[in-house]
Amino acid sequence: AQSVTQPDIHITVSEGASLELRCNYSYGATPYLFWYVQSPGQGLQLLLKYFSGDTLVQGIKGFEAEFKRSQSSFNLRKPSVHWSDAAEYFCAVANAGNNRKLIWGLGTSLAVNP
Amino acid sequence: GAVVSQHPSWVICKSGTSVKIECRSLDFQATTMFWYRQFPKQSLMLMATSNEGSKATYEQGVEKDKFLINHASLTLSTLTVTSAHPEDSSFYICSARVEGTSGEQYFGPGTRLTVT
């Protein structure tokens, strides 16, 4: 069965430090992968996506993610975190059905220390 | 582009009444929309998939007679919570899938429902 695992429930980093949020997936075919961010009081926003091609994808707000098929991973990174990055981050994979439902990870809550 | 709105943003209703939540794609057409429920500090739970002009497909365990979904146009889907109970209190989120893409969804800001 398809699944997405985000091993870290909560992460705290200092402002200016680098960030890596982990995501592992289980999927039989080439996955369509996404990272979304949910800030307090705001809707989910698409950070970046991977469909095919270059395994390092760039997103908005300075985020990037790398698809590693051998590790079934799609980790999200940012070289220097800003206080405004504090939010909930969700990794998701789209299934192959006609409606392309998203299978969600449980999320990682990011706190940023000043 | 790809903006999705939801209305209302929050609503309080009494037990036994019904409440309707609207989801609109503002700058694109969405054949497929999704309705989610999110509990505090938890991930999104897919309730149903809404396809324009056809019946919604509900996930296992979701009561279709309680959560009525109508997708009457390419820009509007509605979720009606019928005979609401306090346990229906939650954060409801809709999303719309961009046609011709490989699954990315754009989300509304959510509706906080409180049933008293």
Side-chain angles (χ1 to χ4, degrees):
Chain A
Q2 301 149 13
S3 66
V4 175
T5 302
Q6 292 180 247
D8 304 304
I9 297 174
H10 185 85
I11 285 182
T12 301
V13 299
S14 297
E15 191 168 19
S18 63
L19 172 70
E20 181 170 37
L21 303 182
R22 295 183 291 164
C23 173
N24 294 97
Y25 66 90
S26 173
Y27 192 73
T30 300
Y32 299 139
L33 294 158
F34 307 87
W35 274 99
Y36 284 87
V37 60
Q38 186 177 34
S39 299
Q42 297 187 26
L44 283 139
Q45 184 178 23
L46 178 65
L47 282 176
L48 45 77
K49 59 194 178 188
Y50 171 78
F51 295 155
S52 64
D54 193 347
T55 56
L56 183 64
V57 293
Q58 302 297 320
I60 62 171
K61 303 184 178 185
F63 285 92
E64 66 178 26
E66 185 171 13
F67 170 62
K68 293 185 177 179
R69 184 186 299 276
S70 62
Q71 299 178 20
S72 296
S73 69
F74 188 57
N75 295 346
L76 181 71
R77 301 194 295 248
K78 186 169 184 178
S80 179
V81 171
H82 188 262
W83 63 267
S84 61
D85 293 324
E88 191 80 20
Y89 291 81
F90 294 97
C91 180
V93 61
N95 73 358
N98 288 338
N99 286 322
R100 295 251 185 255
K101 293 192 297 185
L102 291 179
I103 312 299
W104 296 86
L106 295 180
T108 297
S109 177
L110 174 66
V112 180
N113 287 332
Chain B
V3 178
V4 177
S5 70
Q6 245 180 279
H7 178 81
S9 55
W10 60 271
V11 58
I12 301 173
C13 71
K14 293 185 177 181
S15 289
T17 62
S18 296
V19 60
K20 179 184 286 188
I21 302 170
E22 291 186 349
C23 177
R24 294 181 184 273
S25 57
L26 297 184
D27 52 0
F28 67 101
Q29 293 183 330
T31 304
T32 306
M33 290 184 171
F34 302 87
W35 286 96
Y36 295 87
R37 187 171 177 176
Q38 187 178 33
F39 293 100
K41 304 295 184 183
Q42 294 190 26
S43 188
L44 285 79
M45 182 192 80
L46 179 64
M47 299 174 65
T49 303
S50 168
N51 287 294
E52 187 267 340
S54 63
K55 292 183 179 180
T57 302
Y58 291 82
E59 295 299 301
Q60 190 173 7
V62 178
E63 299 176 61
K64 63 180 180 180
D65 294 330
K66 180 168 188 60
F67 298 100
L68 300 179
I69 291 172
N70 184 281
H71 194 158
S73 78
L74 288 172
T75 59
L76 174 64
S77 177
T78 60
L79 168 68
T80 301
V81 183
T82 63
S83 187
H85 290 134
E87 56 264 33
D88 299 325
S89 299
S90 192
F91 193 54
Y92 293 89
I93 307 172
C94 74
S95 71
R97 185 167 74 86
V98 179
E99 295 306 310
T101 68
S102 296
E104 63 207 80
Q105 297 176 21
Y106 291 88
F107 287 80
T111 297
R112 172 72 60 191
L113 170 64
T114 301
V115 184
T116 61

